[in-house]
Amino acid sequence: MYDVIIIGAGIVGCSTAYYLSQYDLKVAVLEACNDVSMGTTRANSAIIHAGYDPEPGTLMARHNVKGALMIRELCRRLDVPYKQCGALVVGFDDKDMETIQTLYERGLVNGVEFLKILNREETHDLEPQLSADIKGALLAPTSAIVSPWELALALMEVAVENGVELKLNNKVEAISKSDEVFTVRTSEGEYHGRYVVNAAGIYSDAIHEMIGQKEFTITKTKGEYYLLDKSEGRRVSHTIFQCPSKVGKGVLVSPTVHGNLIVGPNAEDSDNTDTTYEGLQFVRKTAVRSVPFISFGDNIRNFAGIRAKNDRGDFIVEESHSVPGFYNIAGIMSPGLSSAPSLALEAVDWLKGKMELHKKAEYKETRKKVRFNQLSAEEKNELIKKDPRYGRIICRCETVTEGEIVEAIHGVIPAVSIDAVKRRCNAGMGRCQGGFCGGKVAEILVRERGISPLDVLQNQRGTNILVRELKVK
Ligand SMILES: Cc1cc2nc3c(=O)[nH]c(=O)nc-3n(C[C@H](O)[C@H](O)[C@H](O)COP(=O)(O)OP(=O)(O)OC[C@H]3O[C@@H](n4cnc5c(N)ncnc54)[C@H](O)[C@@H]3O)c2cc1C
């Protein structure tokens, strides 16, 4: 019997598991997919927003500002790529400049530091590649970029090392409660727990309705992106936003922590992650208004993520009204990534109101990773002497070694697919997108996991890259 069952291993579930793992509790995380961070957390703009956008007084405003500060510290502790590159919200006319004034004032009320309104010259001094049509901008120096999936993984790895049980491939199908105990039935079995935290992203309404009355509705809104090669990665040095509209923060152009350029998203009601010609054309046309000379010929990948837009217009962070002991962290749309650790602490506080929580005598809070391409020549030689597999480069675009891939496959949360290896050590993230190293990564997965080549997955269950043997000896 678990004290707490968390449903969903996105950034919200992983953050909740991380903080709960510091207490003397038996915690399980049930995740439908074969890895953490397989929902919205792996496909978004990856911005840690400064906090000037949400309306003052909302949960979004409070958790964004607090969460952004927590993420800066967490990324340091957990060795996760993070860069405080700052953001500019650019304006093209007087109406936009009024919006920028409103954002500036909101930011002050929300407690965002160092905000400044810039005129045209000041804006171009900071970002010479911006359109000549720009009238001015809001500068938010505390805005940052991060690797969202690495942050989620790092949080869950530490949680698992502290005793949290991560149950992957466990899709929750039914929930019931009797005698103060929840029974959560999944595709794999049954789990019993005293409390449940619902962090199921775009399905959090469906999960709540498995046991409670309808209290909120999630609408799924897709956002599509271009990810450009590193040759475009220095096109801008800040995240460039246009003024927000009713449908969201609009199309941005931003460097990524991995050195690429990200451009997007649009906003279309949709529950699939297919990219479309129309969606990408819209992104492209809108982006060049602010950054005209983006070389879209250097695009290396398109992808889409799905927002969990809810009908309350704010985060839902509360105990269910109809099911005591069931806590929703639901409808976590943007700035959900920036807010996640703060939302998780809210769940911990709620639990403290329900039961006595005692910190463990010892628990882990930090994590360290080997990134071969960031080591000095001496450190590289030292590592290769200890383990020659660090001397064999598998991914040439990103300089990722066999040693790092083997480490990913045998890590705290083992990588079971080619994409899971990529999320842990960047193999296949570069210009060729795995064209050269994909086959080698597959071979290493076969060898290290002792599986048949026919069982190598690109990503999810059912994405086998080989379907049958051509020549049988
Ligand atoms: C286009 C786009 C851009 C964004 N940009 C930003 C940004 O720049 N900055 C920012 O702060 N926020 C941004 N966001 C928002 C941010 O990405 C989300 O708020 C955040 O990732 C939500 O995390 P989550 O853990 O709630 O959901 P998810 O990451 O979706 O995790 C939910 C998990 O629950 C699992 N699950 C679902 N159903 C079940 C079930 N039945 N059984 C078991 N498991 C289940 C899923 O598989 C998934 O792993 C953006 C969102 C989108 C879509």
Side-chain angles (χ1 to χ4, degrees):
M1 160 100 137
Y2 294 96
D3 294 304
V4 186
I5 293 176
I6 300 169
I7 302 173
I11 191 69
V12 172
C14 293
S15 304
T16 308
Y18 175 81
Y19 288 111
L20 285 181
S21 77
Q22 302 178 351
Y23 295 91
D24 224 339
L25 292 171
K26 195 165 156 54
V27 179
V29 181
L30 307 180
E31 167 55 51
C33 297
N34 64 358
D35 200 2
V36 310
S37 185
M38 295 292 280
T40 306
T41 299
R42 75 170 166 164
N44 54 64
S45 307
I47 312 298
I48 301 307
H49 293 289
Y52 51 76
D53 190 46
E55 291 273 2
T58 58
L59 293 173
M60 280 184 178
R62 173 152 69 86
H63 292 294
N64 182 166
V65 176
K66 184 173 167 198
L69 288 173
M70 291 170 77
I71 286 181
R72 187 164 59 186
E73 172 57 18
L74 280 171
C75 288
R76 196 187 57 73
R77 263 195 237 162
L78 299 170
D79 193 11
V80 171
Y82 170 95
K83 187 173 176 200
Q84 195 174 315
C85 61
L88 287 167
V89 185
V90 298
F92 295 95
D93 52 29
D94 290 344
K95 196 162 157 276
D96 282 350
M97 293 313 290
E98 275 171 34
T99 305
I100 282 172
Q101 181 65 32
T102 307
L103 294 177
Y104 172 76
E105 285 162 18
R106 266 193 215 168
L108 294 186
V109 180
N110 291 347
V112 184
E113 290 189 304
F114 313 119
L115 290 174
K116 198 174 167 200
I117 296 181
L118 308 181
N119 63 27
R120 175 187 277 124
E121 289 68 36
E122 290 167 327
T123 310
H124 280 114
D125 281 349
L126 281 182
E127 289 290 356
Q129 293 277 329
L130 292 186
S131 159
D133 296 338
I134 278 164
K135 254 196 121 177
L138 173 69
L139 170 66
T142 57
S143 181
I145 49 180
V146 75
S147 172
W149 55 90
E150 285 181 74
L151 178 56
L153 254 165
L155 289 161
M156 190 59 90
E157 277 178 17
V158 173
V160 168
E161 288 194 290
N162 287 336
V164 166
E165 294 177 36
L166 173 62
K167 310 282 185 189
L168 296 170
N169 297 310
N170 268 270
K171 181 173 183 196
V172 173
E173 292 173 343
I175 309 174
S176 57
K177 189 181 182 190
S178 104
D179 295 333
E180 302 304 305
V181 174
F182 287 96
T183 298
V184 182
R185 186 164 54 76
T186 74
S187 45
E188 294 295 307
E190 270 190 3
Y191 300 88
H192 304 283
R194 291 171 69 194
Y195 299 101
V196 173
V197 175
N198 172 14
I202 55 170
Y203 300 111
S204 49
D205 53 350
I207 292 286
H208 180 248
E209 283 159 38
M210 285 180 186
I211 180 149
Q213 285 159 12
K214 191 176 206 46
E215 293 178 19
F216 53 90
T217 306
I218 307 284
T219 312
K220 301 168 188 74
T221 320
K222 176 161 71 177
E224 298 172 53
Y225 291 92
Y226 287 87
L227 184 70
L228 285 90
D229 183 49
K230 287 182 179 167
S231 55
E232 280 295 296
R234 295 203 177 140
R235 180 68 65 189
V236 291
S237 56
H238 296 73
T239 301
I240 311 298
F241 291 99
Q242 297 179 14
C243 282
S245 68
K246 273 187 199 138
V247 291
K249 296 180 184 69
V251 172
L252 61 82
V253 179
S254 179
T256 72
V257 281
H258 301 106
N260 303 81
L261 189 77
I262 188 171
V263 184
N266 62 335
E268 284 289 330
D269 282 355
S270 173
D271 62 359
N272 70 62
T273 52
D274 298 342
T275 53
T276 61
Y277 174 77
E278 294 74 24
L280 291 171
Q281 279 299 105
F282 170 83
V283 166
R284 197 170 167 151
K285 269 198 207 143
T286 313
V288 294
R289 266 195 90 202
S290 42
V291 189
F293 303 114
I294 299 169
S295 168
F296 282 96
D298 287 308
N299 183 47
I300 58 172
R301 182 171 276 268
N302 295 108
F303 67 92
I306 308 178
R307 303 172 183 86
K309 208 170 136 199
N310 73 61
D311 55 349
R312 296 200 201 159
D314 199 358
F315 292 153
I316 296 161
V317 200
E318 62 188 24
E319 185 168 14
S320 162
H321 304 166
S322 45
V323 193
F326 191 99
Y327 197 75
N328 289 310
I329 314 183
I332 306 301
M333 46 207 166
S334 186
L337 172 65
S338 319
S339 310
S342 173
L343 296 169
L345 284 191
E346 204 76 4
V348 175
D349 282 348
W350 166 75
L351 210 59
K352 282 181 181 163
K354 297 280 180 187
M355 63 192 293
E356 268 198 35
L357 295 192
H358 301 286
K359 284 242 173 168
K360 288 173 178 157
E362 275 182 36
Y363 55 85
K364 249 189 107 166
E365 276 186 292
T366 59
R367 184 199 75 145
K368 194 85 193 125
K369 252 187 90 79
V370 173
R371 289 192 178 84
F372 184 81
N373 65 2
Q374 291 175 14
L375 299 178
S376 67
E378 293 74 32
E379 288 168 327
K380 283 179 180 161
N381 284 335
E382 201 56 38
L383 197 57
I384 295 166
K385 254 190 238 157
K386 271 193 219 142
D387 184 342
R389 290 175 298 186
Y390 286 97
R392 185 166 168 232
I393 305 296
I394 301 294
C395 168
R396 282 183 278 158
C397 302
E398 298 292 313
T399 323
V400 182
T401 63
E402 183 178 359
E404 290 162 279
I405 293 169
V406 170
E407 216 176 287
I409 295 169
H410 296 298
V412 179
I413 304 171
V416 296
S417 69
I418 294 177
D419 283 359
V421 168
K422 173 164 87 172
R423 283 191 294 276
R424 283 158 179 78
C425 64
N426 296 353
M429 281 248 318
R431 191 179 176 85
C432 86
Q433 287 286 291
F436 284 98
C437 67
K440 288 183 187 161
V441 173
E443 275 175 23
I444 300 172
L445 276 163
V446 167
R447 185 189 74 207
E448 296 296 320
R449 300 192 63 227
I451 56 174
S452 154
L454 296 179
D455 292 330
V456 175
L457 301 175
Q458 181 66 44
N459 188 17
Q460 271 305 326
R461 275 175 169 181
T463 61
N464 303 55
I465 54 168
L466 300 170
V467 288
R468 66 186 166 89
E469 286 185 47
L470 284 179
K471 287 182 189 166
V472 184
K473 276 183 251 165

